[in-house]
Amino acid sequence: MNMHKPLLLLWLISMMIGAIIITTTTTVAAMLNPIDFLALQEIHSSLEDTPGSNFLLAWDFSSDPCSFPGVLCSPTTNRVVSLSLGDPRAGAPGLTGKLHPSLSLLSELTDLSLVPGRVYGPIPPSLSLLRRLRFLALSENFLSGPIPQSLSSLPSLQTLDLSFNLLSGSIPPPPPSLSSLILSHNRLSGTIPSAIGGNPRLLRLDLKHNHLTGEIPPLPQSLRYLALSSNNLSGEVRNVLPRLRMINYLDLSSNQLSGEIPGEIFGFDSLSVLLLQRNRFSGEVRPEGRVGIGRVDLSYNRLTGVVPEELATVESLYLNSNRFTGAVPMRFVERLMGGSSGLQVLYLQHNFLTGIEISPAAKIPGSAAVCLRYNCMVPPAVESCPGNAGEPRSRSPEQCPEWRG
């Protein structure tokens, strides 16, 4: 209740001076609701243009605020319905200063955004008073402190983007109306809230590059985009991933996830990118169904068994730095020779593979990147390995008891 007292005072003051605003400003400026007029003045006073920006310079309160850059008003209610703080053009300098609590006085606001800049300080908890807010994007600034728990109560919010800031603390439960939650590149900790699984409208969940821990909870089947990379998540995913049959992009890389990779996910019709590298996945890879994924990265895990022939349909395949054994299936060679319509990247270095049926004189298309270095065989003479593949072309015989090379 305490956080509302200053706002209530501002509202009372605005009502008292409303008549003064109407009589002392021009006729055009008087068209805007006096509460919104006062709120814009407070917002203007708490922000500044960074060098090279003239955005706030154009906010001349002797003219109609509805004509200000970034301000959109409803012609029927004379209220501000959309506010974009800063020049939205790519590369334009942003703003500095703090977000003023008076933002919450713009009670008809549906869209609030802040362009990349140097705005710092906390996110005002009073933003939860914007009951019509559908779009809230405050990314690429220096906002700090926790994400206000009160934002969970916004009944109409569909997009929340607070990425690339300095936010810390736990993630509050998202509003049930949310379709896009983007909190990547912050300092958030704790677990992923289980309430996310009960959000039937969520399409995009991006929490990468934080300090999240614990297991991945059940997620809504509606998801199309999931990015949880570069956290400290652990546990198995066999009860989480098979539900996501509508997923297009899946990135769980650089965590501590373990167990087997569910074979069902390789056959998902909509999946185009699967990134599971740099985890602790183990066991054999057993794809189910036809694999139509464009890019698959399972590198830097503890996967064993043979390289699945079903993965030869992938355009870019990264299986390096695992424990695969046996010969590379002939289907991969056929796909490599297919030119631009075939396999474009095949990284199998740092495994225990024993052979590949490819002629030393074979000409691998220049568009393809192939690396078989540091296995239990002599790799092809022509390779295109990444810089971290290392110098030894083959493993020592002591590491390859079945090698007859």
Side-chain angles (χ1 to χ4, degrees):
M1 196 67 187
N2 288 337
M3 80 171 185
H4 301 311
K5 288 182 178 179
L7 298 172
L8 179 60
L9 181 60
L10 280 172
W11 182 84
L12 291 172
I13 294 173
S14 70
M15 296 302 292
M16 293 171 62
I17 68 172
I20 299 175
I21 292 174
I22 293 173
T23 57
T24 58
T25 59
T26 66
T27 303
V28 179
M31 293 174 59
L32 182 64
N33 182 285
I35 297 177
D36 288 14
F37 186 93
L38 177 65
L40 289 177
Q41 285 185 318
E42 295 283 3
I43 294 165
H44 180 270
S45 68
S46 67
L47 295 170
E48 297 178 11
D49 285 310
T50 56
S53 172
N54 295 316
F55 179 81
L56 291 176
L57 190 63
W59 281 34
D60 179 3
F61 284 91
S62 65
S63 61
D64 180 14
C66 292
S67 66
F68 291 175
V71 178
L72 178 65
C73 301
S74 167
T76 57
T77 63
N78 295 324
R79 302 295 302 271
V80 178
V81 293
S82 178
L83 182 60
S84 178
L85 295 170
D87 188 340
R89 292 177 297 181
L95 306 176
T96 187
K98 294 185 177 182
L99 295 176
H100 199 281
S102 290
L103 282 164
S104 62
L105 292 176
L106 304 174
S107 57
E108 296 295 311
L109 204 62
T110 61
D111 296 74
L112 174 59
S113 60
L114 177 66
V115 303
R118 304 187 66 82
V119 176
Y120 57 92
I123 298 172
S126 56
L127 292 183
S128 62
L129 299 177
L130 300 174
R131 310 306 286 174
R132 297 179 181 271
L133 197 63
R134 296 194 302 258
F135 181 87
L136 178 58
L138 309 175
S139 62
E140 296 187 58
N141 278 275
F142 291 85
L143 298 172
S144 58
I147 299 173
Q149 291 281 336
S150 57
L151 296 185
S152 299
S153 66
L154 288 170
S156 304
L157 193 63
Q158 297 174 10
T159 297
L160 178 60
D161 184 356
L162 306 177
S163 59
F164 290 91
N165 277 291
L166 304 174
L167 299 170
S168 57
S170 60
I171 300 174
S177 57
L178 208 63
S179 62
S180 183
L181 178 60
I182 308 171
L183 305 177
S184 60
H185 294 270
N186 277 288
R187 300 172 180 177
L188 300 170
S189 57
T191 59
I192 299 173
S194 59
I196 285 180
N199 191 324
R201 302 178 184 179
L202 195 62
L203 302 176
R204 183 184 182 98
L205 179 60
D206 189 348
L207 307 178
K208 62 178 176 284
H209 287 273
N210 277 290
H211 306 303
L212 301 175
T213 57
E215 298 186 0
I216 302 174
L219 299 172
Q221 298 179 357
S222 56
L223 276 179
R224 304 293 199 279
Y225 181 103
L226 176 62
L228 303 177
S229 62
S230 299
N231 280 287
N232 293 307
L233 300 170
S234 58
E236 300 189 2
V237 296
R238 59 184 176 182
N239 295 325
V240 178
L241 298 188
R243 292 168 42 89
L244 308 180
R245 294 191 170 274
M246 303 177 74
I247 199 79
N248 303 132
Y249 181 97
L250 176 57
D251 183 4
L252 305 181
S253 61
S254 299
N255 280 287
Q256 300 179 40
L257 301 169
S258 58
E260 294 188 357
I261 298 173
E264 302 99 306
I265 64 173
F266 294 99
F268 288 175
D269 293 335
S270 301
L271 188 58
S272 60
V273 176
L274 176 62
L275 307 177
L276 302 179
Q277 71 269 24
R278 297 185 184 276
N279 277 287
R280 299 177 180 178
F281 290 117
S282 59
E284 298 185 11
V285 178
R286 302 184 181 91
E288 297 180 12
R290 180 187 175 278
V291 181
I293 310 172
R295 179 183 178 186
V296 174
D297 194 340
L298 309 181
S299 62
Y300 294 95
N301 278 290
R302 302 170 182 179
L303 302 171
T304 57
V306 298
V307 174
E309 185 175 357
E310 296 88 342
L311 295 183
T313 57
V314 176
E315 291 183 6
S316 299
L317 181 61
Y318 303 82
L319 300 179
N320 52 290
S321 302
N322 278 288
R323 301 171 184 176
F324 288 110
T325 56
V328 179
M330 186 61 188
R331 179 64 178 143
F332 285 92
V333 178
E334 296 171 355
R335 288 276 293 161
L336 276 174
M337 299 304 176
S340 60
S341 62
L343 188 57
Q344 298 300 301
V345 177
L346 179 61
Y347 278 1
L348 296 172
Q349 67 271 21
H350 289 258
N351 279 286
F352 294 85
L353 301 171
T354 54
I356 183 171
E357 294 185 21
I358 185 169
S359 169
K363 293 184 178 180
I364 299 174
S367 60
V370 183
C371 188
L372 291 158
R373 188 169 298 183
Y374 206 63
N375 276 286
C376 295
M377 64 179 183
V378 177
V382 179
E383 284 189 301
S384 50
C385 292
N388 62 359
E391 288 301 322
R393 288 178 54 79
S394 303
R395 289 186 180 272
S396 65
E398 291 78 14
Q399 295 176 296
C400 307
E402 298 181 5
W403 187 21
R404 296 293 181 267

